[in-house]
Amino acid sequence: MRTRVKFCGLVREQDVRLAASLGVDALGLVFYAKSPRFVEPDLALQLRRAMPSFVAAVGLFVNAPPALVQECQRRLGLDVIQFHGDETPAQVHESLAGPEGSRLAPGPAYWRAIRVQPETDLLESDRMFSDAEALLLDAFSTGYGGSGKRFDWRLAQPLSPGRMILSGGLDEHSVGEGIAQLSPLAVDVSSGIQTADPRVKSAELMERFMQAVRTADLLKERR
């Protein structure tokens, strides 16, 4: 299976359209107000409408009130909810619940982000969030991601590749190595494809990143 690709932190419609044309699988909208890539609801709706049906819309939330998560999902039709804070399983399930306490139907999938440190027990995280579609592994940051830093990939080895989305410090130069070492289900990039302005993606870097992923997949097939 080819490695899936998510571009995160998009705030411009032209970046959304270009990413889709390059064959990206998912696009992330950041609903964390402290992030430089934060999107207001009206802008998020504009970006969502620019996404073709074959690209998944991922909403990134950090310790958000359940009502906010539910409202964004209802208004935007998010395909995936990415919990990137300190949410417990109970808080995750509350955010995914509908008005009557039942899970939103058909309901979005969810990804649980884990900020990896040497003491992180990924098998325990996998057990706690066993109903998550995947665990997104990112470098630890007090600012809840977006640091552009890479963690020690050896720490990810206990986790099944089919449950892993690799993130943190990826760019066109490092993503191939990550795919070769871990064979993750998907890779997630934000700062690695942006310009000096965190709210502007680079067309050239987006294209190079996608090519690097395709090259890594071809090399993996030949082994």
Side-chain angles (χ1 to χ4, degrees):
M1 180 182 295
R2 70 175 179 86
T3 305
R4 305 293 174 173
V5 179
K6 175 194 166 209
F7 286 175
C8 195
L10 283 80
V11 301
R12 303 195 310 163
E13 187 173 341
Q14 58 263 48
D15 292 341
V16 168
R17 294 189 185 280
L18 177 59
S21 73
L22 292 173
V24 75
D25 299 283
L27 295 174
L29 305 176
V30 177
F31 297 100
Y32 179 47
K34 293 183 179 180
S35 169
R37 307 172 190 91
F38 171 69
V39 289
E40 296 283 355
D42 288 345
L43 175 57
L45 184 59
Q46 176 185 333
L47 297 174
R48 181 67 178 99
R49 286 172 173 164
M51 296 183 193
S53 60
F54 49 80
V55 174
V58 182
L60 187 155
F61 298 87
V62 176
N63 301 328
L68 174 62
V69 178
Q70 294 168 12
E71 176 59 26
C72 287
Q73 199 284 327
R74 281 192 290 268
R75 185 176 183 190
L76 302 173
L78 297 172
D79 300 296
V80 181
I81 307 297
Q82 181 177 322
F83 294 96
H84 213 96
D86 305 306
E87 300 90 353
T88 65
Q91 290 167 330
V92 165
H93 295 151
E94 182 181 1
S95 294
L96 293 173
E100 299 178 357
S102 59
R103 184 157 177 160
L104 293 169
Y110 85 89
W111 300 342
R112 183 67 174 94
I114 306 295
R115 295 177 293 151
V116 180
Q117 302 181 79
E119 62 271 23
T120 302
D121 187 340
L122 286 179
L123 294 180
E124 176 62 12
S125 297
D126 192 35
R127 183 194 65 79
M128 290 176 60
F129 298 97
S130 59
D131 59 342
E133 184 174 59
L135 298 185
L136 186 147
L137 307 186
D138 199 358
F140 179 82
S141 167
T142 55
Y144 295 100
S147 67
K149 296 181 180 179
R150 169 175 160 177
F151 66 91
D152 183 351
W153 290 339
R154 291 175 297 181
L155 300 172
Q157 291 176 349
L159 187 64
S160 168
R163 294 272 290 157
M164 182 192 308
I165 299 174
L166 182 62
S167 184
L170 295 179
D171 58 23
E172 62 177 298
H173 305 293
S174 62
V175 68
E177 182 184 354
I179 291 171
Q181 285 191 26
L182 299 171
S183 297
L185 172 69
V187 292
D188 177 22
V189 62
S190 182
S191 59
I193 54 170
Q194 73 186 25
T195 66
D197 182 347
R199 295 180 69 82
V200 177
K201 300 302 187 189
S202 163
E204 183 178 4
L205 292 179
M206 285 195 284
E207 186 170 1
R208 287 181 178 178
F209 189 90
M210 293 298 293
Q211 184 56 53
V213 172
R214 293 188 180 104
T215 298
D217 280 349
L218 286 174
L219 291 174
K220 188 171 60 174
E221 287 179 6
R222 293 171 182 171
R223 291 192 185 98

